[in-house]
Amino acid sequence: SQKIEQNSEALNIQEGKTATLTCNYTNYSPAYLQWYRQDPGRGPVFLLLIRENEKEKRKERLKVTFDTTLKQSLFHITASQPADSATYLCALDPSGTYKYIFGTGTRLKVLA
Amino acid sequence: GAGVSQSPRYKVAKRGQDVALRCDPISGHVSLFWYQQALGQGPEFLTYFQNEAQLDKSGLPSDRFFAERPEGSVSTLKIQRTQQEDSAVYLCASSPGAGAADEQFFGPGTRLTVL
């Protein structure tokens, strides 16, 4: 069956360290993969999009990698801050259209 | 400019009641999506509009769910004869274009509780 897996357990890291979140998928060949941030009681907020022919994408302290052979995306936050604490969702588009499938999200907590 | 807004933010319904959830997308956005998000889960796709046309309703769980966007802007998700399993957060998102590379702008959601 098709599925997207993200770390189901919360990730706690110390302020200043790099947080690495994982998104694994099976039985998809997505053309695009997106990462979103979601705070409690709010809708997701778009962070980054990476295309299948891109290995890496950066935006300020954020970095996303996309390995279509391993069927995996990694999301890194460098120099993490307590304000980075949130749930991070990966989403992929299985058919190159508008329809994204979301993972369950990983809750990140950055400790001061 | 204003982002995506949804109303009401919270809705409590008795089992069997009908509810209507409203979404005001960002002005000029072509695409509009509805998602259902259960506690601890990611958003699950319900339906997609491109302007006023409902191009995909494959995610609607049953024929009790109905969505419309008659003038290509505001959208309403209606749930008839609500059941307890309908309790969830309903998210609306819009995007400026119709392609897979467009980011989606989400509203704050409507939390529906069916008693």
Side-chain angles (χ1 to χ4, degrees), chain A residues 50-81:
Chain A
I50 187 164
R51 292 171 167 78
E52 62 177 339
N53 60 352
E54 296 176 315
K55 296 294 185 191
E56 182 179 297
K57 198 81 168 278
R58 291 176 185 260
K59 180 182 174 183
E60 297 171 354
R61 296 185 295 111
L62 309 181
K63 184 178 87 170
V64 170
T65 63
F66 192 11
D67 189 325
T68 55
T69 302
L70 289 179
K71 294 188 180 292
Q72 180 182 77
S73 175
L74 298 178
F75 177 79
H76 306 271
I77 307 174
T78 57
S80 59
Q81 304 165 1

Side-chain angles (χ1 to χ4, degrees), chain A residues 32 34 36 38 41-46 49 51 89 93 96-100 102-105, chain B residues 9 33 35 37 40-43 45 48 55-56 58 91 99-104 106-108:
Chain A
Y32 303 95
Q34 298 187 4
Y36 286 80
Q38 187 172 26
R42 307 184 83 129
V45 174
F46 172 81
L49 175 143
R51 292 171 167 78
L89 298 158
D93 116 79
T97 60
Y98 50 81
K99 190 170 178 178
Y100 274 82
F102 282 79
T104 55
Chain B
R9 289 293 317 277
F33 305 80
Y35 293 89
Q37 187 172 28
Q41 302 296 313
F45 173 86
Y48 168 69
L55 298 188
D56 189 336
S58 62
L91 294 164
D102 290 307
E103 72 175 270
Q104 295 183 34
F106 281 83

Side-chain angles (χ1 to χ4, degrees), chain A residues 11-59:
Chain A
L11 179 64
N12 292 339
I13 64 163
Q14 208 62 41
E15 182 177 9
K17 300 293 186 185
T18 296
T20 298
L21 283 64
T22 305
C23 176
N24 294 304
Y25 58 93
T26 57
N27 297 334
Y28 291 117
S29 295
Y32 303 95
L33 191 145
Q34 298 187 4
W35 283 88
Y36 286 80
R37 168 185 174 140
Q38 187 172 26
D39 292 282
R42 307 184 83 129
V45 174
F46 172 81
L47 296 174
L48 281 167
L49 175 143
I50 187 164
R51 292 171 167 78
E52 62 177 339
N53 60 352
E54 296 176 315
K55 296 294 185 191
E56 182 179 297
K57 198 81 168 278
R58 291 176 185 260
K59 180 182 174 183

Side-chain angles (χ1 to χ4, degrees), chain B residues 3-54:
Chain B
V4 178
S5 61
Q6 292 186 245
S7 60
R9 289 293 317 277
Y10 303 92
K11 178 70 180 176
V12 178
K14 291 184 180 176
R15 190 162 54 95
Q17 280 185 330
D18 298 349
V19 298
L21 313 180
R22 178 186 167 108
C23 173
D24 284 80
I26 293 173
S27 178
H29 276 197
V30 167
S31 294
L32 186 144
F33 305 80
W34 282 98
Y35 293 89
Q36 182 189 62
Q37 187 172 28
L39 192 63
Q41 302 296 313
E44 285 202 18
F45 173 86
L46 293 177
T47 187
Y48 168 69
F49 290 86
Q50 193 175 110
N51 297 308
E52 69 279 3
Q54 187 175 22

